[in-house]
Amino acid sequence: VHACGFDSVPHDLGAYFTVRQLPEGVPLTVDGFVTADAAFSGGTFASALGQFARPRQLRAAARDRRRHEPRLVGRRVSVPSGAPRYAPEVGAWALPLPTVDAQIVRRSARTLDRYGPDFRYRHYAAVRRLPVA
């Protein structure tokens, strides 16, 4: 099962939980924030090495998958990368986090109408002190 550990469960279910607390049938924007101690598990490290070793194959697989997924009609789902900013809602600096998490949230949002007619998810690392980043 692809991406069944930390890189999907908290973010995907967290976004879904949040969406269920919000009004239905309206545009929604959800920002996800991650804090960590900068330690990687063995599985995360192995996945990262695999991705860095095969960038062309990964892009080709993503294109192929998109070709086979149904197109959305009357709805829009996006995962823009966002920009670095201070996020007062979490009291930290928000730095765009280029991980697979946002794509997993996007796929769920494309599948379920509950995410509304126009859903946007941005994914950030939250750091208290900018020099730490």
Side-chain angles (χ1 to χ4, degrees):
V1 175
H2 178 71
C4 63
F6 180 75
D7 284 339
S8 64
V9 174
H11 312 290
D12 200 18
L13 292 180
Y16 182 62
F17 174 83
T18 301
V19 164
R20 292 196 43 146
Q21 309 311 305
L22 300 172
E24 290 188 50
V26 298
L28 299 174
T29 297
V30 174
D31 289 348
F33 297 92
V34 175
T35 59
D37 61 5
F40 293 102
S41 72
T44 298
F45 184 68
S47 295
L49 286 178
Q51 289 179 3
F52 289 129
R54 304 175 301 162
R56 281 189 300 221
Q57 293 92 332
L58 290 173
R59 282 192 302 273
R63 276 193 308 274
D64 188 50
R65 185 188 70 245
R66 280 193 302 272
R67 257 196 315 271
H68 290 90
E69 288 179 347
R71 296 211 182 270
L72 285 179
V73 177
R75 294 181 57 228
R76 185 169 60 178
V77 173
S78 63
V79 290
S81 63
R85 65 183 176 89
Y86 184 77
E89 62 269 31
V90 293
W93 287 93
L95 305 175
L97 194 57
T99 60
V100 71
D101 309 325
Q103 285 73 32
I104 291 168
V105 171
R106 178 182 61 199
R107 192 164 193 190
S108 292
R110 288 178 56 89
T111 303
L112 302 171
D113 289 339
R114 181 60 180 90
Y115 284 79
D118 187 2
F119 177 76
R120 182 171 73 165
Y121 177 77
R122 296 179 300 189
H123 194 65
Y124 296 100
V127 296
R128 300 272 180 228
R129 296 180 332 193
L130 200 51
V132 171

